[in-house]
Amino acid sequence: MRITPALGASIVALAVCFILVPVVSATVGGWYAYWGALLLSVVWAAILLWLKLTKYWDEEGA
Amino acid sequence: MGSIPTVLQTQIALPSPTADSALAVTVAIAAMLAVSAGIGIYCFRRCRNFDEWMVGHRDMGPIVTGFALTATWLSGWAIFGNAGLGYTYGWSGAWLIGSMNLMGLALCVVIGYRMRRYASMGARTVPEVARIRFDSRAIQALAGVTMSILLIVYSVGQYKAMASVWRLTTGTDWLWSLVITASLCAIYIAVGGYAGTQLSVALQGAIFMVVGWAFGIASIIWAGGPAQIAEAMSSAAFVRPGGAATSVPLGQYTAPIAPSFASYDWLGVVGAMFMFLLMASGFPHNIARFLGVRKTSKKDYAVLMAIVALNCVTPLMVGAMGYAARTVWGAELMNTGPIYGDAAASLVSLAIGGSVGGAVFSMAVFSAAVSTLAGMTMIMATNMTRDLICNIRPKTSPKLLLNLSRLLVVPFIALPLWWTYTSPPPVLSEFMAGSAVAQAGIFFFVVAVSMYWKRATKWGAIATVVYGMTLSLLHPSVYGKFVPPFTHWGVWALTLMFGCALIYVVVSLLTKPMPEEKLAKIFPKSA
C-alpha cells in the first residue's frame, strides 16, 4: 500500500481524533467530554468513509 | 451519595410495578417478539437449503444491514447496562458506556464489507472465512470452538438485561419470562435462519434507536437539565453493590475503585478504548452481518454508514438515563440486589412515561438483547455444524446439517440462560467486557486483518487464538486475581490485545505463507 499525502493526512487525523478523546476527558470533563467523544467519533467515521469511497472502493468486486 | 437535589429526591419516588405496567410490558414485548417470529417464518418459506439458511440470498440492502449491524453490536449492554454504568460509576463509567463506540463500528463497516468476497468463494460462517483465507480446516474448527465459548459468556449479559427489565416492570418472577423469550428467540432463528435473523434484528435495531434517543433526551430534561446532572455527578461518590458507601469521587473520568475496574486509572481507560476500537470487527456475530449483504453502490454504502452513526448515539443516550437516575434518586438503587444500578434505565422509563413508557422501553431492551442473542446463537449453532461436524465429516448431508443446526439452537440458548438464572453478574456491562476484550484481541486479527494482510499465516492465526484464550483465563475476576499484575484490568486487557497483535505478526512472519497461486485467488491483482 502506497502512502499518499491524502492517506497520510487521513491517518494522522484519525490518530488525533482517537487521542483527543481521553485528553478532553482529563482536561475538560463532564458533558463536554461525554458528547465530545461522540463528535470526535463522527469525524473519525467520516474520514474512514471518505477513504473507503475515494481511495479503496473498487476492491470488493465480489 | 453526593449532594443530590433534595427537592427532586423527595418529589419523585422510585416507581414500583403495577398490574397496568405488567400488562403493558407483556403486550409490548409479545408484539415485538411475535413480529420478529413472523419475519422468521416468512423467511423460512423462502429458505430452500442449508446455504440459504446460513446467508440468505445475499441480497440484503444497506438499510437492513445497517440496522442489523448496530442491533447485533448494541446489545443488552448498551440499551440496558449502560444506564447501570452511568448510575454506578458516574463519568468514569463513560468508557464502558462506549462514548467512542462509533469509532470501532465505523472501522467494522469499512473492513467488514470484504466478507462479501469470501461469501462468493463459498464462506457461510466466519470460521469458514478463516478456512478459505488460510486453506486450513484446523483453524476453522479452532475458531468455531473459541467463538462458541466466548459467545456463551457474552450471552449471559443478554439474559440479565431481559430478566431484570421483566422483573422491574412486572414485579413477577423472571425465570418464566426468560424461558418464554428464549423459546421465541429459538423459534425464529431455527425457522428463519440468516435472513430471518437479519431482518428481525434490523427491525429490533430500529426500535431501540428511536426508543433510546427519546428516553435519553427525556431523562435529561426530567432530571432538571444537563447542568443539574453535572452538578450532582461532581459531588457523587461510589457506593458498592449492597450499599456500602466509599469516598471515591465519581466526578472525574477515572475512579480509583479497584484495579479490576476498567476506569481505575488512565491505563485502564486506554485498554477500554482499544477494546471498543477492535471489538466491533472482532465480534463474529457482528462481522457476519456482511456475509449476506448485496453488492452496494457508493450511495448505499454512505447510507449504511449514516445509519450506523445514528444508532451509535443510542448507547450514550441510555448512559444519560443512568446519570439522570443518579441525580434524582441518589445511590438508593445500590442497596437492592441482584439488579442494583442496572435497574436505573427501567425505573427512569417508568417514572417518565408510566406504564406505557415502561412497556416501550422494555420492548427496546428485549429488542437489543434478543437481536444480539439471535446473532450469537446462529453463529454458535453453525460453528458446531458447519465448522466442526462438516469439517470432520465433509460428506454429511446438507439436510442433516440444517436440522442439526436448528436443534443446536436450543442448548446454545439454554446454557447461558441457566448461568444467568443461577449466578447473575452484579454489573452487567463490566462482566460482558471480559468476553469482549478476548473477542476483540483474537478475531480482529485472525479474521478482520487476515482478510487484508497477505503475509498472515495459519500458524500466526492459531498462535493468536491459543494466546488469546490463555490470557482470557487471567482476567482479574478469574485467575488474574492470583497473578499480579493481571489484577489490573488495563494491564490484562492491553496484554491480551497487544499480545495477540504481536504474536499474530511475529509468528506469521516466521512461518511459511500459503503458496502464491492460492493467495492470488484470494487477493486478486485488481484489489
Side-chain angles (χ1 to χ4, degrees), chain B residues 215-399:
Chain B
F215 275 105
I217 294 166
S219 70
I220 293 173
I221 298 165
W222 169 77
Q228 186 91 296
I229 293 173
E231 193 190 327
M233 296 317 299
S234 68
S235 52
F238 176 65
V239 174
R240 296 186 190 286
T246 75
S247 58
V248 178
L250 297 180
Q252 303 294 320
Y253 272 77
T254 56
I257 293 166
S260 57
F261 173 49
S263 307
Y264 175 72
D265 55 16
W266 290 103
L267 189 65
V269 166
V270 172
M273 289 177 70
F274 274 98
M275 175 186 78
F276 270 102
L277 191 64
L278 306 186
M279 75 185 197
S281 308
F283 278 176
H285 52 286
N286 245 7
I287 205 158
R289 299 302 111 206
F290 288 98
L291 281 170
V293 71
R294 69 169 190 237
K295 191 172 170 61
T296 62
S297 64
K298 286 186 179 183
K299 189 182 164 191
D300 283 349
Y301 198 82
V303 169
L304 200 165
M305 186 67 99
I307 289 170
V308 162
L310 282 174
N311 220 354
C312 280
V313 182
T314 310
L316 279 84
M317 292 292 186
V318 178
M321 292 173 77
Y323 296 128
R326 183 74 191 225
T327 303
V328 174
W329 293 314
E332 201 176 331
L333 303 182
M334 298 309 290
N335 300 324
T336 317
I339 305 174
Y340 303 112
D342 281 340
S346 279
L347 295 178
V348 167
S349 70
L350 277 170
I352 292 176
S355 296
V356 175
V360 169
F361 188 77
S362 302
M363 183 176 68
V365 173
F366 269 67
S367 293
V370 167
S371 58
T372 305
L373 199 62
M376 290 191 298
T377 308
M378 177 90 189
I379 295 275
M380 290 187 280
T382 53
N383 280 348
M384 290 300 120
T385 49
R386 183 89 177 189
D387 302 318
L388 212 59
I389 296 170
C390 188
N391 206 348
I392 296 164
R393 296 188 60 185
K395 288 186 178 171
T396 312
S397 83
K399 193 175 176 184

Side-chain angles (χ1 to χ4, degrees), chain B residues 149-207:
Chain B
I149 293 169
L150 294 173
L151 289 179
I152 285 174
V153 178
Y154 209 72
S155 302
V156 171
Q158 312 312 320
Y159 285 115
K160 189 194 170 185
M162 290 189 286
S164 302
V165 77
W166 183 264
R167 186 168 174 172
L168 288 163
T169 50
T170 65
T172 56
D173 177 79
W174 47 276
L175 175 62
W176 281 108
S177 76
L178 282 180
V179 171
I180 292 165
T181 309
S183 305
L184 277 167
C185 183
I187 289 166
Y188 81 71
I189 300 168
V191 299
Y194 182 92
T197 304
Q198 189 87 334
L199 287 171
S200 300
V201 298
L203 168 76
Q204 291 154 6
I207 289 173

